[in-house]
Amino acid sequence: MADSGQGGVNRRILIGAGAAAALAGTAFALRAGSSNAPSKAAPIDPFTLHRGNGAEPSTLDPHKASGNWENNIIGDMFMGLMTEDAGARAVPGAALSYSASPDGLTYTFQLREHNWSDGTPVTAHDFEFSFRRILDPKTAAQYAAILYPIKNAEAVNSGKMAVDQVGVHALDDRTLQIEFHFQVPYIRELLTHYTTFAVPRHVVEKYGDDWVNAGKLVCNGPYVLKEWIPNDHIELVKNPHFYDRDHVVVENVYFYPTQDSSAALKRFRAGEFDLVTDSIPPQSIEWLRRNMPRELKLYPYILTEYFQFNVTRKPFDNLKVRRALTMAIDREIITSKITRANESPAYALIPPGMPGYPGTAHFDFKSLPMRERIAKAKWLLSEAGYGERNPLKFDFNIMNTTETKLTAVALQEMWKQAGVLVRLVPSESQVHYDVLRKHDFSVAWAGWIADYRDPKDYLFLFQTSTTDLNYGLYSNPKFDAAMDASDFEHDAARRAQMLGAAEQMLLDDAALAPVYFGVTRDLVSRRVKGWVSNNVNINRTRYLSLDRSAPV
């Protein structure tokens, strides 16, 4: 990795006017975060959980969602064929058992007897309907490409085949069959993902898009929607028809949007929140380590934070420009001085923690000192026609969160050292990711959390066939061919090598610029019991309980 002590370039970046403004904001947030004055009396109800949850959801429809903040809520209401246990390991959910054909291409699932929250039985026909619904191009599901391993899924989703050709079939009310194009070693975890959840056909067909509204939404998980007050809270209540309701202790759960992490910390310290997930101000990490070490949960996270180029927009269709911007970033400064929670500098896309993956791909400038990187970046920009008299200028789209804004200001100052002028364009998280999916940007901040613990969950984002989620519209026939070949490789070690080679292609093309590998940034009250930190940061409310006699 680059030595952050090399030269003086990377140590001076925090003196710019933009960084000074960020540090002033940091000082304010530190004072706010250490306030001892609670804004509201702590709740005393032992059966109601209050969760700070990041962004405001765009939807609660499992087939139209795409954010982790949506997953936290949807996963409390719905249950797929597989589900997560308390430690986020895949376990049987709506399916009691399954079997695979000898060639590994066909799976047959036996469903447990359970009901929707209105008392109607859940059947295999609901699952058949749901897989067809999410892959129907009329649904415009942003996440449909994750299901392309299913037979005919891509052809159906692109409008080339009828929806009844999707390789998912209800053999009877309790038996579901799924056919795949190739073996899917990550199938158990894939089937915990909300794209694979069944939705109630009888309700969806009755109400159309309004089926997700409070009073109409019907689900098969431990909780059901009671109320949604936009930009304030979402309230779920215990589902009386959930098959395992006797083991669900928390009866009510509130989810609150927490884009402002400093405000979320104040509310947590005041006892208004029992949990805050993925939302801790970086400037408060050290204070929390000293004063609230039991509540602070920092844990290795299969998460990569990066900035994405739209390779179809000039000048970002030029490899020299992309490499220059990628090279000019001092990742060690960002993780040590900005994010501060033991994140790791990222010189590759796929984070540590992927089972069986060697993780050998990396940027070729990884070992260069920052002084040499900056000089190389300036040279590349001059080769592309940019310099002191004609500096590269662009808008950098970012999320309007405390953490992202601080990081973006640091990036802005680093690029300035290479002669690049950047304007920051912040927006709310759900709006930001909508911009990315519409490819309406030049350079943008992004992050990806593992949907399933396999390298393909990161690499599929850059396949040409992955439309909405291929934010930068990267398209490389050699990369696509390498990904296709890996799908049909049965030897696990050889497949991992092939995926590693594909990852190296992305880095050589500077299709994106990884910045750091994340850690979970959670606050968990000592009153909360049953919390298990894990590397995908999924903690379903059904496994939690509350001891209101414990300290706040």
Side-chain angles (χ1 to χ4, degrees):
M1 70 175 56
D3 181 359
S4 62
Q6 292 290 337
V9 174
N10 58 353
R11 296 215 182 267
R12 292 197 298 269
I13 60 169
L14 296 177
I15 305 178
L23 290 174
T26 296
F28 172 80
L30 272 169
R31 291 193 296 271
S34 59
S35 170
N36 289 313
S39 58
K40 186 185 294 184
I44 59 173
D45 181 358
F47 302 108
T48 299
L49 184 73
H50 298 266
R51 301 184 65 147
N53 189 50
E56 171 73 10
S58 297
T59 180
L60 296 180
D61 187 330
H63 299 165
K64 297 183 179 182
S66 62
N68 196 48
W69 51 91
E70 292 163 338
N71 177 30
N72 290 338
I73 304 169
I74 291 170
D76 266 3
M77 296 192 296
F78 292 87
M79 180 178 62
L81 294 167
M82 304 295 291
T83 191
E84 303 92 355
D85 68 6
R89 295 173 291 265
V91 294
L96 276 173
S97 63
Y98 67 89
S99 60
S101 61
D103 62 4
L105 300 181
T106 302
Y107 283 76
T108 303
F109 298 85
Q110 299 300 319
L111 270 61
R112 72 171 71 248
E113 291 189 15
H114 68 296
N115 295 329
W116 294 108
S117 54
D118 64 358
T120 304
V122 178
T123 73
H125 300 283
D126 288 309
F127 278 92
E128 179 188 76
F129 165 79
S130 299
F131 277 99
R132 292 178 180 181
R133 176 179 184 260
I134 190 172
L135 291 166
D136 187 335
K138 295 178 182 178
T139 303
Q142 302 159 357
Y143 231 131
I146 200 174
L147 302 177
Y148 282 1
I150 295 174
K151 184 178 179 180
N152 298 334
E154 182 178 353
V156 168
N157 192 235
S158 61
K160 297 176 182 177
M161 296 182 72
V163 293
D164 61 2
Q165 296 302 301
V166 173
V168 180
H169 307 285
L171 304 185
D172 56 45
D173 283 353
R174 291 282 174 265
T175 310
L176 185 75
Q177 188 177 84
I178 304 180
E179 300 174 272
F180 293 90
H181 283 297
F182 45 81
Q183 291 186 7
V184 182
Y186 46 86
I187 185 171
R188 288 173 59 89
E189 289 197 349
L190 175 62
L191 294 176
T192 69
H193 194 259
Y194 49 83
T195 52
T196 70
F197 290 176
V199 297
R201 179 174 185 172
H202 64 290
V203 177
V204 174
E205 291 184 338
K206 180 178 180 180
Y207 294 114
D209 291 342
D210 290 339
W211 81 274
V212 291
N213 294 343
K216 296 177 181 176
L217 187 147
V218 169
C219 52
N220 68 332
Y223 296 93
V224 65
L225 178 65
K226 179 180 180 181
E227 182 178 62
W228 183 356
I229 305 298
N231 298 304
D232 189 271
H233 72 269
I234 287 174
E235 180 186 2
L236 309 184
V237 296
K238 186 174 175 179
N239 175 7
H241 293 284
F242 182 55
Y243 83 95
D244 197 31
R245 60 188 175 276
D246 291 344
H247 293 102
V248 176
V249 177
V250 173
E251 295 185 355
N252 308 279
V253 54
Y254 288 81
F255 290 87
Y256 303 87
T258 52
Q259 291 280 102
D260 184 339
S261 57
S262 295
L265 174 57
K266 289 181 69 176
R267 295 187 69 179
F268 177 82
R269 295 192 60 215
E272 296 177 43
F273 291 163
D274 300 302
L275 304 173
V276 177
T277 55
D278 288 334
S279 188
I280 300 176
Q283 62 272 17
S284 298
I285 293 290
E286 290 306 318
W287 186 92
L288 288 164
R289 282 188 171 119
R290 293 192 303 270
N291 296 281
M292 303 181 74
R294 291 176 59 182
E295 289 84 356
L296 179 63
K297 307 294 183 182
L298 305 178
Y299 193 83
Y301 201 1
I302 305 183
L303 160 69
T304 304
E305 299 279 9
Y306 58 94
F307 55 90
Q308 174 71 63
F309 301 107
N310 186 335
V311 299
T312 66
R313 285 195 179 181
K314 293 184 178 300
F316 305 103
D317 58 342
N318 187 326
L319 176 59
K320 292 178 180 178
V321 171
R322 299 197 303 270
R323 280 185 59 82
L325 295 176
T326 301
M327 193 175 293
I329 299 305
D330 190 331
R331 293 156 175 83
E332 283 73 18
I333 284 288
I334 289 174
T335 55
S336 64
K337 303 297 185 183
I338 307 298
T339 60
R340 308 185 189 187
N342 296 333
E343 293 88 353
S344 301
Y347 292 89
L349 169 62
I350 300 173
M354 290 295 182
Y357 188 64
T360 56
H362 62 271
F363 284 125
D364 57 6
F365 58 79
K366 178 179 178 181
S367 60
L368 286 180
M370 276 308 303
R371 185 184 296 276
E372 293 183 26
R373 285 199 227 166
I374 293 295
K376 178 72 170 178
K378 288 181 176 179
W379 179 82
L380 287 169
L381 289 170
S382 69
E383 287 285 294
Y386 298 99
E388 289 185 10
R389 296 184 178 180
N390 179 36
L392 172 62
K393 301 178 182 179
F394 64 88
D395 285 350
F396 183 34
N397 290 79
I398 63 171
M399 295 175 292
N400 193 28
T401 63
T402 307
E403 299 85 346
T404 305
K405 287 188 290 187
L406 289 171
T407 302
V409 168
L411 292 172
Q412 184 182 45
E413 291 294 313
M414 291 173 182
W415 282 323
K416 189 175 181 180
Q417 296 294 316
V420 178
L421 303 179
V422 177
R423 184 173 76 103
L424 305 182
V425 183
S427 58
E428 297 300 302
S429 295
Q430 65 273 39
V431 175
H432 175 76
Y433 276 98
D434 189 51
V435 167
L436 265 62
R437 287 187 293 270
K438 292 178 178 177
H439 320 294
D440 188 19
F441 68 95
S442 294
V443 183
W445 186 255
W448 194 257
I449 302 165
D451 299 305
Y452 50 87
R453 295 171 180 90
D454 187 272
K456 184 172 181 179
D457 186 51
Y458 284 77
L459 297 174
F460 95 100
L461 297 172
F462 298 89
Q463 291 181 260
T464 303
S465 59
T466 304
T467 51
D468 286 359
L469 295 180
N470 186 349
Y471 302 139
L473 293 173
Y474 174 78
S475 181
N476 181 340
K478 292 183 178 179
F479 175 80
D480 290 342
M483 291 298 296
D484 289 343
S486 72
D487 286 333
F488 293 93
E489 176 55 60
H490 295 172
D491 181 82
R494 175 59 184 155
R495 176 178 178 269
Q497 291 175 354
M498 295 168 75
L499 292 173
E503 181 184 10
Q504 190 63 57
M505 287 186 205
L506 286 180
L507 302 177
D508 292 344
D509 280 349
L512 77 161
V515 177
Y516 62 85
F517 300 131
V519 298
T520 64
R521 289 166 162 267
D522 301 329
L523 291 170
V524 182
S525 168
R526 280 182 268 176
R527 298 172 301 191
V528 175
K529 307 303 177 184
W531 180 273
V532 180
S533 293
N534 59 80
N535 63 7
V536 289
N537 208 25
I538 291 176
N539 281 270
R540 302 303 186 197
T541 305
R542 65 181 285 195
Y543 301 114
L544 303 178
S545 60
L546 290 158
D547 177 5
R548 292 295 184 197
S549 66
V552 175

